[in-house]
């Protein structure tokens, strides 16, 4: 992978009132030119095509944000750039506006209900930091988290010149009891669920679940969370 030159010309503007509820939390500026293709919208990097997309959703969609300051932000449409972890909205002239206040949690909504959740504030692990946003796939006593990292490669094609390609890499973690744990094999889960090892192992075998399959991993962690919830309820009643 070759490094891509980065030139950013920032036009700093006065605080723009996007929404009465949001304006107080914004330090905003416009990216008018940026040679990082992750900012570009439509797969065209200043005339050079590239494959793949860094956006969680290609459209701006309703979302509810919670900042590390404790402020909740509602009433706007946002996009999440997975390449750099930045959250954007746009003004009435369709210029990108980046939210610079540190974001603890963003819930993308569909018909007012949570459709996808991203959250920061977890302990650092691998190359991630506490302000890194993870997609939350399961919540409860154990949170199943997914981190997406992109690689960017370029290649020369005869008659077409240089093209770029963005490939996502997926990493899964479980946050439990204040610690982050990377999930790579079944034994990783067994060590995390010592009170329910036999139950979880039996569930995996009975349902023929695969640790490398995201939907199966969600089922496993959700099953464990249901057991942990049941145990908590029993203890509360005793």
């Amino acid at each position: 992978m070759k490094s891509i030159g980065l030139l950013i010309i920032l036009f700093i503007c006065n605080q723009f009132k996007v929404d009465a509820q949001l304006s107080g939390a914004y330090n905003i500026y416009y990216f008018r030119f940026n040679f990082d293709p992750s900012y570009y919208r439509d797969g065209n990097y200043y005339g050079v095509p590239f494959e793949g997309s860094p956006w969680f959703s290609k459209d701006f969609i309703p979302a509810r944000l919670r900042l590390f300051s404790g402020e909740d932000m509602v009433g706007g449409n946002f996009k999440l750039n997975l390449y750099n972890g930045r959250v954007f909205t746009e003004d009435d002239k369709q210029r990108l506006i980046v939210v610079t206040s540190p974001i603890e949690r963003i819930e993308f909504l569909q018909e007012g209900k949570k459709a996808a959740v991203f959250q920061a504030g977890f302990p650092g692990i691998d190359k991630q930091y506490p302000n890194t946003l993870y997609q939350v796939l399961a919540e409860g006593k154990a949170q199943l988290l997914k981190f997406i990292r992109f690689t960017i490669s370029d290649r020369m094609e005869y008659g077409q010149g240089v093209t770029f390609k963005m490939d996502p890499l997926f990493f899964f973690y479980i946050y439990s009891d204040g610690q982050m744990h990377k999930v790579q094999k079944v034994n990783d889960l067994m060590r995390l669920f010592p009170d329910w090892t036999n139950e979880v192992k039996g569930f995996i075998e009975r349902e023929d679940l695969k640790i490398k399959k995201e939907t199966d991993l969600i089922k496993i962690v959700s099953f464990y969370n249901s057991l942990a919830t049941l145990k908590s309820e029993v203890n509360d009643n005793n």
Side-chain angles (χ1 to χ4, degrees):
M1 183 182 73
K2 299 180 180 178
S3 60
I4 299 173
L6 188 63
L7 175 62
I8 304 175
I9 302 176
L10 303 179
F11 284 76
I12 302 177
C13 305
N14 291 330
Q15 191 132 8
F16 182 87
K17 191 171 183 180
V18 179
D19 182 283
Q21 293 175 294
L22 307 184
S23 59
Y26 273 72
N27 270 327
I28 65 170
Y29 51 90
Y30 298 109
F31 290 90
R32 178 143 178 204
F33 297 101
N34 194 316
F35 287 173
D36 177 349
S38 71
Y39 283 109
Y40 218 76
R41 299 166 191 251
D42 59 4
N44 189 289
Y45 168 42
Y46 277 85
V48 180
F50 69 90
E51 302 174 22
S53 172
W55 301 103
F56 172 67
S57 168
K58 64 184 180 65
D59 301 314
F60 287 89
I61 56 179
R64 179 168 53 239
L65 279 66
R66 185 174 70 221
L67 306 180
F68 275 107
S69 65
E71 182 178 356
D72 289 326
M73 301 165 61
V74 295
N77 294 327
F78 300 88
K79 287 176 68 172
L80 171 61
N81 189 311
L82 295 168
Y83 176 80
N84 51 37
R86 291 183 178 272
V87 176
F88 292 84
T89 185
E90 63 179 358
D91 64 10
D92 55 359
K93 296 182 180 179
Q94 295 187 320
R95 293 177 296 190
L96 285 179
I97 302 172
V98 64
V99 182
T100 57
S101 298
I103 296 173
E104 181 180 1
R105 184 179 172 97
I106 177 169
E107 299 176 352
F108 288 102
L109 307 175
Q110 186 175 18
E111 298 180 353
K113 298 181 180 180
K114 289 186 293 185
V117 176
F118 289 81
Q119 187 170 323
F122 300 101
I125 186 172
D126 294 338
K127 295 182 179 180
Q128 292 88 258
Y129 299 95
N131 62 348
T132 297
L133 282 169
Y134 296 84
Q135 186 173 2
V136 181
L137 301 178
E139 295 193 270
K141 181 174 175 57
Q143 285 183 280
L144 176 60
L145 309 174
K146 179 170 74 171
F147 175 70
I148 304 173
R149 180 181 296 122
F150 285 92
T151 62
I152 302 180
S153 58
D154 55 42
R155 63 182 182 271
M156 179 71 72
E157 294 190 1
Y158 182 76
Q160 296 184 15
V162 177
T163 61
F164 293 93
K165 185 179 181 181
M166 303 184 71
D167 291 305
L169 300 174
F170 304 102
F171 303 88
F172 296 94
Y173 303 86
I174 287 180
Y175 176 69
S176 179
D177 296 325
Q179 295 184 341
M180 292 283 280
H181 308 271
K182 194 170 187 176
V183 179
Q184 296 177 301
K185 52 187 182 296
V186 172
N187 287 341
D188 295 335
L189 292 177
M190 296 302 100
R191 286 194 295 269
L192 292 175
F193 308 148
D195 296 338
W196 301 100
T197 298
N198 293 333
E199 289 82 358
V200 173
K201 187 176 181 180
F203 177 72
I204 293 173
E205 294 174 351
R206 185 170 61 253
E207 301 294 327
D208 192 26
L209 302 177
K210 308 300 181 184
I211 199 72
K212 298 294 185 181
K213 190 175 180 181
E214 179 178 319
T215 53
D216 285 1
L217 193 54
I218 293 173
K219 291 178 182 178
I220 296 168
V221 177
S222 297
F223 176 72
Y224 165 74
N225 282 334
S226 68
L227 294 175
T229 299
L230 180 61
K231 181 180 179 180
S232 177
E233 291 176 348
V234 169
N235 290 339
D236 289 342
N237 292 330
N238 289 337

